[in-house]
């Protein structure tokens, strides 16, 4: 070759600038706090009205509707009950409880979603017959389904957390199915012909070509699903009368809202943290398993597809 | 003379019709007779749409004929494919981006469940053959287009197939790289003794590489003329300035032009596409 580059010892895959990433995330947090407190200050100065009108500001800028950020933070270190544990340990263990349910649902939903995707790609008939129902399933509000799952689960004698996990799985499988299907179909026609020329079996083609090619797509879906499974678990806890979990905490602190609004806000923060933690864990796994070259190619093909969780 | 039955590739009255939707019906190939001897290097050349890729894909059992018979190494193309008689190289290298160069070459060997040690040895030998042994642990995207195509050739040879089918393998490369790759293919051909069927747009490429050039015409695709290239087995850069090289190029060009006058097909570009 005329221009043969020498084999280099440089790092194959450049690492992301993690310091800049952290600074950006912290900066955004600072801006949000400033906006929150700024709204309160300016709102109060305007007498709780939209300037030059008689309309009340919504939400009202008073401390009962919008507690100061420092009050929310300090509430986390105060006991949640009289002489009880501080709020953050209560919420932390509630978050762990919910994450366990979400994880169980995520695993079931993820495997189920992948299985459906594989099935659809191998059988046009199955795809035609079932895909519309898969799509339709996501238009039914989770709140409509949750009570039924809980009742059936209770009658079947299943522990309560399994009902919540099923609801989380219900929200998880859909993006995985769609992206698995898309990813399994992503190899170039010549790659498929190549496998044919090797007389590869269907199974070999699936595992050596289609699944590796689908991995970046599947992980994109898994990041969406990770967040969705946490939402599903929290929502699933609401009608189940769960004894623990973030859903339970949301219910009880919303009842205390007038007396102690900081607690509800603190719970909301923990809900967000639980979701971010889960998505970040999936992102870490993705970095280990997915070739960055492939990720970049797909990102170039469909900008925004990989955005979910990309910063985590 | 090679007959259709002893040939590496033998076709009699071979035809291919693509049934489109509605009334669309494309007769891609009609009445192809050919006999390619074992160890021969044959090029298929012709205007776009003359069916040269279709013919290659029929030989490789990627598609099935509509009429006529086709025999590869005394077997049906289907059996030949199951016996792993084919190594294929396309215009795009089609390396799997999640595998290193070495593991790309090992891919076909994994499918026949060769042991790890055997795979490694075989991949090493193939990468050595295409002069890329030191790049074994690189990722595909770190290689230039020409190098990627050499990896594709190494991968195609991994099975030690009897036939190498190449579909415009250098069509996406620049002229300089292209000439070096042609040299490379000839070297590999003389070392391995494979039968090679090579589809190209380029007259000089076809002449430089082949023992015979099959000139095709379009609509319906047929082999209009077969030209023996009398350049001998040893070919190098000097060959490109040989008088006989120019004569063969002229002969192929006239064969292409002759058919065009008769059929009114599109012009054939001489060098790269």
């Amino acid at each position: 070759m005329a221009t043969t580059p020498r084999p280099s010892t440089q790092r194959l895959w450049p690492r992301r600038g993690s310091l800049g990433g952290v600074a950006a995330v912290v900066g955004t947090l600072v801006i949000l706090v400033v906006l929150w407190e700024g709204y309160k200050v300016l709102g109060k100065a305007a007498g709780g009205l939209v300037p030059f009108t008689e309309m009340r500001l919504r939400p009202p800028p008073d401390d009962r509707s919008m507690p100061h950020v420092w009050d929310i933070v300090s509430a986390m270190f105060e006991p949640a009950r009289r002489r009880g544990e501080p709020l953050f340990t209560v919420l932390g263990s509630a978050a762990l409880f919910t994450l366990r349910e979400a994880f169980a649902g995520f695993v079931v939903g993820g495997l189920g979603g992948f299985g459906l995707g594989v099935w659809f790609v191998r059988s046009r008939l199955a795809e035609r017959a079932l895909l519309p129902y898969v799509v339709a399933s996501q238009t039914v509000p989770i709140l409509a389904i949750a009570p039924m799952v809980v009742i059936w689960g209770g009658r079947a004698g299943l522990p309560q957390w399994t009902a919540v996990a099923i609801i989380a799985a219900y929200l998880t499988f859909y993006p995985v199915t769609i992206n698995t299907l898309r990813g399994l179909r992503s190899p170039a026609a010549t790659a498929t012909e190549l496998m044919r020329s090797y007389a590869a079996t269907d199974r070999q083609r699936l595992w050596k070509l289609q699944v590796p090619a689908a991995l970046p797509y599947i992980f994109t879906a898994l990041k969406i699903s990770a967040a969705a499974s946490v939402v599903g678990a929290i929502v699933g806890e609401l009608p189940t009368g769960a004894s623990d979990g973030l859903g339970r905490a949301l219910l009880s602190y919303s009842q205390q809202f007038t007396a102690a609004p900081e607690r509800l806000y603190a719970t909301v923060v923990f809900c967000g943290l639980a979701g971010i933690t889960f998505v970040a864990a999936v992102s870490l796994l993705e970095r280990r398993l997915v070739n960055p070259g492939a990720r970049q190619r797909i990102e170039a093909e469909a900008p925004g597809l990989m955005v979910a969780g990309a910063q985590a | 003379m090679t007959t259709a039955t002893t040939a590496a590739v033998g076709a009699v009255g071979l035809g291919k019709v693509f049934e489109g939707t509605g009334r669309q019906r494309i007769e891609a190939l009609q009445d192809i007779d050919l006999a390619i001897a074992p160890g021969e290097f044959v090029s298929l050349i012709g205007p776009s749409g003359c069916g040269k890729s279709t013919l290659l894909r029929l030989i490789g059992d990627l598609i099935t004929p509509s009429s006529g018979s086709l025999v590869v190494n005394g077997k049906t193309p289907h059996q030949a494919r199951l016996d792993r008689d084919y190594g294929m190289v396309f215009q795009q290298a089609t390396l799997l981006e999640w595998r290193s160069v070495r593991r790309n070459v090992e891919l076909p060997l994994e499918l026949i469940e060769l042991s790890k040690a055997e795979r490694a040895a075989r991949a090493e030998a193939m990468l050595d053959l295409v002069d890329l042994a030191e790049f074994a642990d690189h990722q595909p995207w770190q290689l230039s287009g020409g190098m990627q195509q050499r990896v594709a050739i190494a991968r195609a040879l991994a099975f030690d197939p009897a036939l190498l089918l190449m579909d415009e393998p250098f069509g996406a490369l620049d002229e300089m790289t292209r000439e070096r790759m042609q040299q490379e293919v000839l070297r590999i051909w003389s070392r391995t003794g494979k039968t090679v069927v090579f589809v190209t747009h380029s007259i000089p490429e076809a002449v430089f590489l082949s023992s015979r050039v099959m000139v095709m015409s379009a609509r319906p695709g047929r082999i209009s003329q077969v030209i023996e290239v009398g350049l001998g087995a040893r070919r190098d850069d000097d060959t490109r300035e040989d008088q006989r090289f120019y004569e063969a190029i002229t002969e192929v060009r006239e064969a292409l032009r002759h058919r065009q006058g008769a059929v009114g097909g599109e012009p054939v570009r001489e060098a790269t596409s």
Side-chain angles (χ1 to χ4, degrees):
Chain A
M1 302 291 299
T3 54
T4 302
R6 304 297 307 166
S8 58
T9 52
Q10 75 189 44
R11 185 190 291 284
L12 293 185
W13 300 322
R15 214 189 281 182
R16 278 164 199 255
S18 53
L19 203 65
V22 169
V25 171
V26 171
T28 307
L29 186 64
V30 169
I31 289 168
L32 286 176
V33 169
V34 168
L35 284 175
W36 179 272
E37 294 295 337
Y39 176 83
K40 283 169 63 72
V41 170
L42 294 175
K44 276 179 192 162
L49 299 175
V50 179
F52 314 115
T53 68
E54 295 299 311
M55 286 195 298
R56 292 188 167 277
L57 273 173
R58 294 285 172 213
D62 60 83
D63 292 351
R64 190 171 285 175
S65 307
M66 295 177 65
H68 287 291
V69 172
W70 45 89
D71 284 339
I72 296 171
V73 173
S74 71
M76 291 187 196
F77 295 95
E78 284 157 18
R81 292 158 195 259
R82 201 171 306 222
R83 283 194 286 278
E85 291 171 335
L87 184 62
F88 80 89
T89 55
V90 171
L91 288 178
S93 76
L96 275 182
F97 184 87
T98 299
L99 275 175
R100 270 199 292 267
E101 294 166 334
F103 182 72
F106 175 82
V107 169
V108 171
L111 288 176
F114 175 77
L116 272 180
V118 170
W119 190 25
F120 288 172
V121 94
R122 298 183 80 158
S123 160
R124 280 271 173 194
L125 180 66
E127 185 192 352
R128 285 206 193 134
L130 295 178
L131 190 58
Y133 293 98
V134 169
V135 176
S137 75
Q138 300 301 303
T139 64
V140 180
I142 191 70
L143 276 172
I145 296 169
M148 285 191 279
V149 175
V150 172
I151 292 164
W152 293 339
R155 286 200 187 141
L158 296 172
Q160 206 166 44
W161 69 267
T162 53
V164 178
I166 289 168
I167 292 160
Y170 184 85
L171 286 185
T172 298
F173 86 97
Y174 176 73
V176 179
T177 301
I178 299 298
N179 271 22
T180 299
L181 195 56
R182 189 177 159 185
L184 293 177
R185 294 213 169 112
S186 68
T190 45
T192 306
E193 290 187 332
L194 212 54
M195 294 303 275
R196 182 173 159 89
S197 81
Y198 300 148
T201 61
D202 281 355
R203 180 171 295 212
Q204 285 174 329
R205 186 160 54 96
L206 179 69
W207 291 106
K208 300 279 184 195
L209 174 65
Q210 292 176 290
V211 170
L215 267 192
Y217 295 86
I218 293 172
F219 266 97
T220 302
L222 287 179
K223 284 185 288 189
I224 296 165
S225 291
S229 71
V230 174
V231 172
I234 292 170
V235 172
E237 283 168 358
L238 297 180
T240 55
S243 55
D244 199 352
L246 290 171
R248 167 78 198 167
L250 281 175
L251 269 185
S252 41
Y253 294 131
S254 61
Q255 282 155 14
Q256 300 175 22
F257 187 74
T258 35
E262 315 80 41
R263 288 181 179 173
L264 186 61
Y265 280 106
T267 312
V268 170
V269 169
F270 267 76
C271 289
L273 285 177
I276 289 169
T277 308
F278 200 175
V279 173
V282 175
S283 278
L284 279 180
L285 192 65
E286 176 187 37
R287 270 188 220 183
R288 286 194 66 92
L289 292 181
V290 178
N291 177 333
R295 276 181 63 190
Q296 274 158 23
R297 177 180 55 78
I298 288 160
E299 172 73 351
E301 273 173 16
L305 191 68
M306 311 290 275
V307 164
Q311 297 300 323
Chain B
M1 186 65 207
T2 318
T3 64
T5 43
T6 63
V9 180
V12 179
L14 190 66
K16 177 68 185 175
V17 174
F18 289 107
E19 302 285 357
T21 49
R23 309 195 76 189
Q24 275 187 319
R25 188 170 175 279
I26 298 157
E27 186 152 29
L29 287 175
Q30 195 185 63
D31 237 354
I32 302 284
D33 295 324
L34 62 79
I36 298 170
E40 204 179 358
F41 197 125
V42 169
S43 285
L44 305 174
I45 193 169
S48 305
C50 73
K52 50 195 189 298
S53 284
T54 303
L55 180 52
L56 192 82
R57 291 153 62 83
L58 280 173
I59 296 171
D61 191 41
L62 294 176
I63 51 177
T64 51
S66 310
S67 57
S69 77
L70 180 60
V71 177
V72 176
N73 291 336
K75 304 173 259 197
T76 63
H78 181 70
Q79 189 57 45
R81 182 168 64 81
L82 295 185
D83 291 349
R84 272 104 180 183
D85 281 354
Y86 299 118
M88 299 208 65
V89 181
F90 301 101
Q91 183 168 355
Q92 301 302 327
T94 321
L95 302 178
L96 304 187
E97 60 195 350
W98 55 87
R99 285 170 171 254
S100 66
V101 166
R102 181 201 311 281
R103 296 206 55 235
N104 262 288
V105 179
E106 285 184 8
L107 173 72
L109 304 172
E110 285 173 26
L111 302 180
I112 54 172
E113 281 157 21
L114 223 54
S115 78
K116 208 169 175 179
E118 282 176 290
R119 285 203 311 257
R122 186 89 194 127
E124 189 98 6
M126 289 306 104
L127 285 172
D128 215 32
L129 184 67
V130 297
D131 219 9
L132 282 177
E134 56 186 324
F135 292 93
D137 293 314
H138 278 55
Q139 301 299 312
W141 56 266
Q142 294 178 302
L143 307 185
S144 67
M147 292 163 86
Q148 289 189 15
Q149 206 52 282
R150 283 194 284 163
V151 176
I153 293 170
R155 180 179 58 184
L157 292 169
F159 273 154
D160 196 18
L163 252 89
L164 196 52
L165 305 180
M166 307 179 88
D167 194 354
E168 295 188 49
F170 311 142
L173 304 178
D174 63 84
E175 192 65 25
M176 305 271 286
T177 310
R178 196 169 181 152
E179 287 191 359
R180 296 200 80 94
M181 292 295 288
Q182 291 164 3
Q183 203 79 59
E184 192 97 351
V185 160
L186 277 185
R187 186 175 62 79
I188 291 166
W189 177 59
S190 67
R191 268 181 65 180
T192 58
K194 305 284 178 209
T195 310
V196 183
V197 183
F198 192 101
V199 167
T200 180
H201 268 120
S202 157
I203 299 173
E205 180 166 271
V207 169
F208 183 72
L209 292 173
S210 316
S211 2
R212 285 191 295 158
V213 177
M214 298 190 173
V215 179
M216 297 182 69
S217 61
R219 279 179 291 270
R222 298 169 191 255
I223 295 176
S224 54
Q225 204 169 329
V226 179
I227 291 160
E228 302 268 349
V229 180
L231 284 172
R234 258 194 72 82
R235 303 177 191 193
D236 50 30
D237 280 341
D238 291 339
T239 310
R240 295 184 197 277
E241 284 158 27
D242 193 309
Q243 187 58 36
R244 285 173 302 173
F245 180 64
Y246 288 117
E247 283 165 11
I249 285 178
T250 307
E251 202 179 341
V252 173
R253 186 182 299 141
E254 277 174 0
L256 283 164
R257 198 174 293 156
H258 172 70
R259 289 306 305 175
Q260 262 164 269
V263 185
E266 348 170 357
V268 178
R269 266 181 291 162
E270 195 164 299
T272 53
S273 53

